Amino acid sequence: MGFLFEDGNFALFRDGFLQTIELSALSALLALLLGTLLAAFRVSPVPVLRAFGTGWVTIFRNTPLTLLFFAVEFGLPALDVHFEHLTFATLALGAYTASFVCEVLRSGINTVPLGQAEAARSLGMTFGQTLTLVVLPQAARTVLGPMSSVFIALPRNSAIAGAFSVTELYSAQQTFSERGYSIFSIFFWVACAYLVISAAVATLFRILESRLAVAR
């Protein structure tokens, strides 16, 4: 298992680890912003917005992530849209994860008593104000548990990006395999790296849950 500390190997592993963190963080941010917007669309009184939100969730939740990567990596350049591979990977992973964030948030919105929204509207608040100031803050606190599962899975999903020219843990694993190192040793270190990232995400959500817990 000591191959990792041979010349050049640690640098490759470190770069892959840091790239995985960067890709996961950027995708999580995009998913959170887009997922929140989609959740607002799903509960909007405007039929067109509801239809758009429903269509997005239906399509992206039922599309294999690998196929989505292919669509973004090869479809967008065909439309003369050119970015770095990391940007393409962020778009694909963020758009896919946003559909799950949307549904988790929507389930939280449904737990907020309808009377609170009605009271807000009786005070003259618009739908947008009611949603952002009254409903979403409460909904977000109630869904921290299931939301953590979505973001813990995200770094593992990012492994697909390694097949699309993004230097992350999966691509580092492929390079080590091509150099003839033991598969067991390679996967041991890669698994440890993913475990560290997942544990960090889980710890972050545990802290948020303890500080923002809803009194029952």
Side-chain angles (χ1 to χ4, degrees):
M1 292 187 184
F3 80 92
L4 191 63
F5 304 101
E6 296 179 10
D7 281 347
N9 288 348
F10 182 76
L12 175 61
F13 184 83
R14 178 201 62 208
D15 292 344
F17 179 72
L18 294 177
Q19 188 80 82
T20 297
I21 293 177
E22 181 181 3
L23 173 58
S24 299
L26 291 173
S27 300
L29 179 59
L30 175 60
L32 188 60
L33 295 174
L34 182 56
T36 302
L37 181 62
L38 289 170
F41 285 178
R42 293 293 310 268
V43 298
S44 170
V46 181
V48 173
L49 295 181
R50 287 202 307 273
F52 178 86
T54 300
W56 183 289
V57 170
T58 301
I59 292 172
F60 280 83
R61 288 187 72 184
N62 293 287
T63 299
L65 184 54
T66 303
L67 181 60
L68 185 57
F69 266 87
F70 271 108
V72 171
E73 283 279 352
F74 300 107
L76 291 182
L79 298 174
D80 203 29
V81 177
H82 302 280
F83 295 116
E84 295 181 353
H85 291 295
L86 177 62
T87 303
F88 280 132
T90 299
L91 291 174
L93 191 56
Y96 176 80
T97 307
S99 63
F100 293 90
V101 171
C102 168
E103 288 302 274
V104 171
L105 271 178
R106 188 170 70 92
S107 68
I109 290 173
N110 290 335
T111 66
V112 178
L114 184 60
Q116 296 198 27
E118 292 175 344
R121 286 196 293 269
S122 70
L123 293 174
M125 297 176 70
T126 64
F127 170 77
Q129 291 173 326
T130 301
L131 187 67
T132 56
L133 299 177
V134 178
V135 177
L136 274 180
Q138 297 181 72
R141 293 171 65 185
T142 63
V143 298
L144 284 173
M147 190 70 78
S148 68
S149 298
V150 173
F151 287 111
I152 286 172
L154 193 153
R156 295 194 294 272
N157 289 338
S158 72
I160 297 176
F164 293 89
S165 303
V166 177
T167 305
E168 47 76 71
L169 284 170
Y170 178 75
S171 65
Q173 170 263 315
Q174 288 181 307
T175 302
F176 291 141
S177 295
E178 291 168 358
R179 293 178 180 178
Y181 294 112
S182 166
I183 292 296
F184 176 79
S185 299
I186 295 170
F187 278 97
F188 172 80
W189 288 111
V190 171
C192 286
Y194 280 118
L195 180 61
V196 168
I197 297 173
S198 297
V201 175
T203 300
L204 173 61
F205 274 91
R206 277 199 299 269
I207 293 172
L208 290 174
E209 283 186 89
S210 65
R211 292 188 177 183
L212 303 176
V214 178
R216 300 293 183 184

